[in-house]
Amino acid sequence: MVKYTAAQRRVRGEIVDKYKTGIFEGLKSVSSKGDFAFGDTLQDAPQPDIELNLSGKPFKPEKWPLVAEEVQQIIAGCDVSPFGLKEKTVIDKKVRYTWQLEPEKVKIGEQYQQYINATLLPKMQQGFGLSGQLQANFYKLLVYEKDGFFLPHRDSEKENNMISTLIVQLPSKYQGGELIVNHMETSKRFDFSIAASPGNSTKTHFCAFFCDCEHEVLPVTAGYRICLVYNIVYTPANFEPTNPATRKLVNQIAHLIEQWNLDDYDQTPCKMAFLLQHHYTPAGLSFGTLKSSDKELAYLLKEVQRKVVFMSVYLGLVTLHQLGYPKGQTWYEDEDTTNIEGRIKKMSDVIKSDTKVDILIDLDDRRDFTVSKMNITDAEVNVEMKKISGTEDPNSLKLKATGNDGVLMDRWYHRAVLIFWPWSKDTRVYEGIPLQNCVENFAKMAQALNSTNEVSLRPRTAHMGYAIVHKYKKNTCSKDNIPPVLQGIAALKDEDLLNLFAGKIEPTEAPWGMLQPTCAAVTAFRWGKMKKVLHNIFSWYANLDTHCVELLHALVFLGDRTPFNPTKDKLNVLKDLATNVLAKPLQISPPAPTPKRKRRKYDENGYYEEEEEEEDENEEKFHPKSKYNPETPKKNAVVLPETEILWISRLLQIHTYLDLPIEKILVKLSTLHLEKIQIPALNSFQGFLSSNGKICPQLELVIETVKKNAIEKYEKGENFGIYISEILCTCNLCSDLKGFLIGSPKEREFSVPLKKEQKHLNETIEKLQLTDLKMPSKSEKKFTLSKAQRTKNSPGALNECLAQITEIQNRPIVPSATSVNNNENEDDSLDPVGGSNVSSGSGSSAHNNINNNNNNNNNNINNNNISNNNNNQ
């Protein structure tokens, strides 16, 4: 970022204010020929053709307006009209006093309905300035008698794409009952009573208004007012501006956007937001359903984006949250607070206020949840955000008790906005979005790079990647976000971003799932450029555990068309890398935890919260209940022997491939279980060499080591210390058990004083298959655990192990005809089309062969163990 002096900052600030003001002033000048509410008298309307079902009895008026007796007959068959309060539907005659008939009890004549559709829908289309199609769906019949009214309210969107409400007032003789519609600072009054004109009682009238407009019906002072209510559903069409001045603003706004895009001043707003005039619900928010001047604004910004290209335009729903104290707290602890929310209208002192964008919709009307949750400041919006709280939302109030200090008040205000910014500000925009959302969006954008021809996708994906890396802080980044970020960088093939990522990311522990992204990055950037990155990645692993070995093994065999045929660059990088990695302490790590799936829970307004899915009741659960809990937590799950076999086999394969000494591996091998780990690992290693035709001296060293370990075990006695790595329970009893197992062979008995502890011990031994230990036996009031004596079956067991080792040793290995490729060009070592040979869970095609061979060997091992058990029996 360029540094400026105070004088330069003042000059740059004036320039920024100039084009920022120019953009906002240009948008403010946009207007529409459409109106938010209008009404008139239908001079040519036919006599209403309506048949009512009143408590099971049909009633069809012959002449309008109706006399008092007929209206009372209708009221007798009606219900009191309710209204919506938060999530409830309630009846309160202090808020609304009117009568209603549901649509199933009202039958409108076909010709009369055709007249409404043919006459009123075109009037509404022209009056609202809409270009799409309108459809009128009958909602209910309303009757206002004397003192009937409805306090100010907004109509909810009762159907998908509902845009307005249509009131058809049937010929009625009444006084009062004016309909008042408010929008922004404008108010319209519609009076079709006989007080306005004596002839109104014999004519049909209509009034239409957008359903987000606040409106009220004043009390009827005399007579009866009867009307039909319709929900107007809108089907969008290609929009053409109704005001010719809108087209002229395109070049003016585009020029200002270009200046904004080139401005690198650090105080330049990274985005701008323009509040729309109408209110929209989350479910009904889209570019197609925008109303009057809002649609003109959207058209203008769409045309600007089409002209300058390098610009993002979103339709959003911004939420202002305020926390403060209610104005005029006069109640006490002993006062009835059941209706306290109904008495509070305003907030006095605002303690906290924040503004976020909950939903963003792109120009194709697709909801982009991953770019939401961004903050909006007053410097980025055309009006101060606190001003949007001028219109109260009755559903936005929540009260929280705070002991004896009074009551805190929460309010949420929702307004639709058009948010836009040039692509040069992408990085700063994304830095204001939660990191997890950025990572999700970056992964999706990177994945789409090879499947779309959109020119803007690659630079915008790069901006997102840089924003993510800038948001990371050393030793505080989530390890779960690292693999998708590296995968995205590999797809982007941005070397500068790769180096920035490798130099800054330092998780507290190694993340899961690094195999696929790392191999993809090597394929994209080649070995020479990945040397530093690979060293940084492997520095995250504190130990040479199974996941570290799996990653190193996948890299060793990545892209080889023939086994043991690396290029010079690959061999140099891997040898240097392996020297540091293989020096780490050896450790068997537990399997990767299964991440809990998350789902989005939507409310009735379209807002959502992410929550973890509940666990299956049939799945095994681990809930520690006592000090000696036999159920091991999932994070400390017991490692299966097959994992350890593959781990040792891969280490031997890596040493063989890179021609490294294997003394440290042989020392580790000696501490593992002979029948479960050592012989199967030897079998797997020999199978790997056989499948690749590789003759090497390491095989003979491994065979001799396993033979030596077998002789020592059956002649000198069992080394029970090999079991302690499999006992992951940390209770005091299991700690004493570990000490007993690694103790002197003379310590043959281990006392277990309590019955519940004996049960836990039995389950531990059975779960870990400690077959060489005798189960606790009852002796007076104590239970004892004894080490098994190997006497009669020791020679037979030794001969059996030696026979298995000899059979493995005598298998033929056919030498491979391939030789080491000394060509410095490494293009042939990787996939020529630029894709990695890595499939899910493996390092390469050779790696897949190794895994398959290991699986076959493991099956042979299991079969041998079964036959051995049968022989012993």
Side-chain angles (χ1 to χ4, degrees):
M1 187 67 67
V2 180
K3 293 184 178 180
Y4 297 94
T5 63
Q8 289 174 329
R9 283 183 175 275
R10 184 170 58 256
V11 174
R12 294 304 301 271
E14 292 175 356
I15 296 175
V16 171
D17 290 339
K18 185 176 180 179
Y19 64 73
K20 175 185 170 183
T21 303
I23 293 174
F24 281 148
E25 290 298 328
L27 297 179
K28 286 179 182 179
S29 65
V30 174
S31 61
S32 171
K33 290 185 178 180
D35 208 344
F36 67 90
F38 54 93
D40 201 354
T41 300
L42 299 174
Q43 301 291 349
D44 58 344
Q47 187 76 0
D49 181 12
I50 299 174
E51 183 177 345
L52 308 178
N53 182 358
L54 304 177
S55 302
K57 299 179 181 180
F59 175 75
K60 186 173 183 179
E62 298 295 336
K63 186 178 180 180
W64 294 81
L66 304 181
V67 297
E69 291 78 8
E70 291 176 314
V71 178
Q72 287 298 327
Q73 185 179 350
I74 295 175
I75 291 176
C78 291
D79 299 319
V80 178
S81 298
F83 62 93
L85 179 62
K86 297 186 178 180
E87 70 278 0
K88 300 179 182 178
T89 301
V90 298
I91 295 176
D92 187 349
K93 291 187 177 181
K94 296 179 181 179
V95 176
R96 183 183 191 186
Y97 177 40
T98 183
W99 302 92
Q100 68 177 32
L101 268 182
E102 298 297 335
E104 59 270 13
K105 296 182 180 181
V106 181
K107 183 178 179 181
I108 302 176
E110 183 177 351
Q111 292 184 355
Y112 191 74
Q113 185 62 50
Q114 288 179 356
Y115 170 79
I116 292 176
N117 293 337
T119 304
L120 293 184
L121 294 185
K123 287 180 179 292
M124 295 176 62
Q125 195 172 30
Q126 182 180 4
F128 286 140
L130 300 174
S131 56
Q133 295 182 351
L134 298 180
Q135 177 181 339
N137 297 332
F138 178 65
Y139 179 53
K140 62 180 60 174
L141 179 142
L142 297 179
V143 180
Y144 289 83
E145 61 178 338
K146 184 181 178 182
D147 298 328
F149 71 100
F150 197 173
L151 292 182
H153 64 283
R154 289 188 178 91
D155 290 345
S156 59
E157 296 178 3
K158 306 170 188 67
E159 302 183 45
N160 291 334
N161 294 332
M162 178 181 169
I163 194 172
S164 68
T165 299
L166 170 64
I167 307 295
V168 178
Q169 182 177 304
L170 303 177
S172 304
K173 188 176 182 180
Y174 70 96
Q175 294 183 13
E178 298 96 330
L179 174 64
I180 301 176
V181 184
N182 302 311
H183 175 61
M184 303 294 284
E185 298 178 355
T186 305
S187 179
K188 288 194 174 186
R189 178 183 294 256
F190 300 93
D191 185 3
F192 301 120
S193 66
I194 58 175
S197 175
N200 283 342
S201 62
T202 60
K203 298 176 182 178
T204 301
H205 314 272
F206 82 96
C207 179
F209 51 87
F210 287 123
C211 54
D212 68 293
C213 295
E214 184 183 79
H215 55 281
E216 65 175 314
V217 179
L218 298 183
V220 174
T221 58
Y224 303 92
R225 177 177 179 259
I226 305 175
C227 54
L228 303 176
V229 182
Y230 287 85
N231 297 330
I232 304 302
V233 177
Y234 177 61
T235 302
N238 292 332
F239 176 74
E240 292 295 331
T242 60
N243 191 340
T246 303
R247 296 182 184 274
K248 299 178 181 179
L249 287 170
V250 173
N251 292 333
Q252 174 187 337
I253 302 296
H255 177 67
L256 295 172
I257 295 292
E258 290 173 352
Q259 292 183 358
W260 184 18
N261 181 61
L262 298 175
D263 194 343
D264 60 352
Y265 180 48
D266 56 356
Q267 298 300 315
T268 303
C270 61
K271 58 184 176 294
M272 293 188 190
F274 195 88
L275 289 177
L276 300 183
Q277 293 187 5
H278 286 274
H279 295 264
Y280 302 88
T281 64
L285 186 66
S286 69
F287 277 96
T289 56
L290 293 179
K291 304 161 187 172
S292 59
S293 60
D294 295 345
K295 188 175 286 290
E296 298 274 344
L297 281 169
Y299 172 83
L300 172 60
L301 288 179
K302 279 185 178 182
E303 291 300 312
V304 171
Q305 192 275 339
R306 189 176 290 111
K307 183 176 181 63
V308 302
V309 179
F310 49 81
M311 175 184 175
S312 298
V313 179
Y314 285 97
L315 175 62
L317 199 64
V318 63
T319 298
L320 171 64
H321 170 231
Q322 290 182 339
L323 176 65
Y325 292 104
K327 189 173 184 179
Q329 292 189 24
T330 58
W331 59 90
Y332 302 93
E333 292 183 3
D334 58 347
E335 185 176 350
D336 179 19
T337 59
T338 56
N339 192 33
I340 196 172
E341 293 186 5
R343 290 182 283 152
I344 298 174
K345 298 298 181 183
K346 296 183 179 181
M347 182 183 295
S348 57
D349 298 326
V350 177
I351 301 174
K352 179 183 177 182
S353 178
D354 60 85
T355 309
K356 290 182 182 271
V357 178
D358 292 316
I359 295 176
L360 280 180
I361 298 176
D362 63 18
L363 292 174
D364 295 323
D365 272 340
R366 296 174 300 189
R367 295 203 174 195
D368 194 342
F369 292 99
T370 57
V371 195
S372 61
K373 303 299 180 185
M374 66 170 65
N375 294 321
I376 297 289
T377 64
D378 285 341
E380 298 169 339
V381 73
N382 60 315
V383 297
E384 293 184 15
M385 292 306 302
K386 64 181 181 181
K387 291 184 179 180
I388 76 171
S389 61
T391 304
E392 299 289 348
D393 182 357
N395 296 329
S396 68
L397 171 65
K398 282 189 179 180
L399 297 175
K400 298 185 289 187
T402 57
N404 296 325
D405 295 333
V407 174
L408 284 177
M409 176 180 178
D410 273 302
R411 278 201 183 275
W412 287 267
Y413 304 93
H414 308 295
R415 285 290 298 272
V417 293
L418 284 169
I419 303 176
F420 52 97
W421 65 85
W423 292 346
S424 63
K425 306 295 184 281
D426 272 351
T427 302
R428 289 176 56 195
V429 170
Y430 297 144
E431 286 179 357
I433 301 173
L435 179 61
Q436 185 62 40
N437 292 29
C438 284
V439 172
E440 291 178 8
N441 201 27
F442 179 63
K444 292 178 182 178
M445 295 166 70
Q447 189 177 8
L449 284 176
N450 296 326
S451 59
T452 181
N453 296 324
E454 187 178 347
V455 179
S456 66
L457 185 59
R458 183 166 294 277
R460 298 202 61 209
T461 305
H463 293 153
M464 177 72 80
Y466 280 98
I468 291 172
V469 175
H470 288 318
K471 286 171 72 69
Y472 269 122
K473 295 181 181 179
K474 290 189 175 182
N475 301 323
T476 60
C477 57
S478 171
K479 63 178 183 178
D480 297 331
N481 290 332
I482 293 177
V485 173
L486 182 58
Q487 185 88 33
I489 294 175
L492 198 57
K493 297 183 180 180
D494 189 323
E495 186 178 349
D496 294 334
L497 182 58
L498 176 72
N499 294 330
L500 186 62
F501 169 83
K504 189 172 183 180
I505 306 303
E506 292 184 7
T508 54
E509 57 180 313
W512 306 100
M514 286 299 298
L515 189 150
Q516 182 81 13
T518 305
C519 292
V522 172
T523 304
F525 295 102
R526 307 302 181 186
W527 290 99
K529 296 178 180 178
M530 283 293 296
K531 182 176 181 179
K532 178 183 176 181
V533 178
L534 291 176
H535 277 279
N536 287 341
I537 291 175
F538 279 96
S539 68
W540 302 341
Y541 295 88
N543 303 302
L544 189 62
D545 57 22
T546 50
H547 307 294
C548 180
V549 171
E550 181 184 18
L551 177 57
L552 182 59
H553 182 269
L555 292 174
V556 166
F557 294 97
L558 175 65
D560 282 356
R561 300 190 181 279
T562 56
F564 301 96
N565 188 25
T567 61
K568 282 187 176 181
D569 281 348
K570 176 181 178 181
L571 198 59
N572 292 336
V573 170
L574 287 176
K575 275 196 171 185
D576 187 34
L577 182 66
T579 302
N580 297 325
V581 174
L582 297 175
K584 297 177 182 288
L586 298 172
Q587 177 182 341
I588 296 289
S589 59
T594 303
K596 291 186 178 180
R597 293 176 298 180
K598 292 185 177 181
R599 62 183 177 185
R600 284 172 174 160
K601 183 179 179 182
Y602 293 86
D603 61 16
E604 58 183 4
N605 292 324
Y607 293 100
Y608 73 91
E609 291 182 357
E610 287 190 345
E611 60 179 15
E612 294 181 350
E613 291 187 355
E614 296 181 359
E615 297 180 356
D616 188 353
E617 295 180 356
N618 298 324
E619 291 181 356
E620 184 180 4
K621 296 181 180 180
F622 300 91
H623 299 295
K625 297 179 181 178
S626 64
K627 184 177 181 181
Y628 303 116
N629 179 29
E631 296 178 336
T632 307
K634 287 185 177 180
K635 63 180 181 179
N636 293 330
V638 176
V639 180
L640 298 176
E642 289 79 5
T643 304
E644 204 164 338
I645 295 169
L646 189 59
W647 180 61
I648 294 296
S649 177
R650 282 173 173 168
L651 280 174
L652 294 171
Q653 295 167 23
I654 293 171
H655 282 74
T656 302
Y657 186 98
L658 300 177
D659 196 20
L660 300 174
I662 61 172
E663 285 75 11
K664 290 185 178 181
I665 302 300
L666 297 180
V667 173
K668 176 62 179 177
L669 189 66
S670 302
T671 64
L672 303 175
H673 198 285
L674 180 67
E675 290 89 348
K676 292 182 181 179
I677 307 298
Q678 294 188 40
I679 296 178
L682 172 62
N683 188 26
S684 176
F685 180 50
Q686 198 276 344
F688 159 76
L689 296 175
S690 298
S691 63
N692 292 288
K694 177 68 174 179
I695 299 177
C696 63
Q698 283 90 337
L699 178 60
E700 293 299 326
L701 291 176
V702 177
I703 292 174
E704 292 301 323
T705 300
V706 176
K707 281 185 178 180
K708 178 184 176 182
N709 295 338
I711 294 173
E712 289 183 354
K713 172 179 179 179
Y714 289 104
E715 289 186 352
K716 296 183 180 180
E718 172 70 279
N719 174 21
F720 287 89
I722 61 176
Y723 293 110
I724 62 173
S725 63
E726 300 181 23
I727 302 176
L728 300 179
C729 180
T730 58
C731 69
N732 295 337
L733 180 63
C734 289
S735 298
D736 295 340
L737 176 60
K738 292 179 182 179
F740 167 70
L741 292 176
I742 62 176
S744 171
K746 296 180 180 180
E747 297 179 7
R748 295 293 178 186
E749 293 184 349
F750 175 54
S751 298
V752 186
L754 300 176
K755 187 174 182 180
K756 66 175 183 179
E757 296 172 349
Q758 180 217 8
K759 180 180 179 181
H760 170 54
L761 196 62
N762 282 343
E763 292 174 346
T764 301
I765 292 173
E766 290 175 359
K767 183 179 293 184
L768 301 180
Q769 300 179 354
L770 302 181
T771 55
D772 295 328
L773 297 180
K774 288 184 178 180
M775 294 298 175
S777 58
K778 187 172 183 181
S779 175
E780 296 179 354
K781 294 184 178 180
K782 292 185 177 181
F783 296 85
T784 58
L785 176 68
S786 301
K787 293 181 180 178
Q789 298 280 353
R790 287 195 177 272
T791 54
K792 296 181 181 180
N793 64 342
S794 293
L798 175 60
N799 293 334
E800 184 180 321
C801 288
L802 293 178
Q804 293 184 36
I805 297 171
T806 302
E807 189 273 332
I808 296 173
Q809 185 177 15
N810 292 334
R811 292 179 192 166
I813 298 178
V814 180
S816 174
T818 59
S819 58
V820 177
N821 178 17
N822 292 325
N823 185 5
E824 294 185 3
N825 183 6
E826 58 172 312
D827 289 343
D828 293 337
S829 68
L830 300 177
D831 196 320
V833 297
S836 172
N837 289 333
V838 182
S839 61
S840 178
S842 61
S844 64
S845 58
H847 189 188
N848 289 331
N849 295 334
I850 295 166
N851 288 337
N852 295 333
N853 187 58
N854 290 337
N855 293 333
N856 295 333
N857 292 334
N858 291 338
N859 293 333
N860 295 333
I861 294 165
N862 294 333
N863 294 333
N864 292 336
N865 291 339
I866 295 172
S867 61
N868 294 339
N869 294 334
N870 294 334
N871 292 335
N872 292 335
Q873 293 176 359

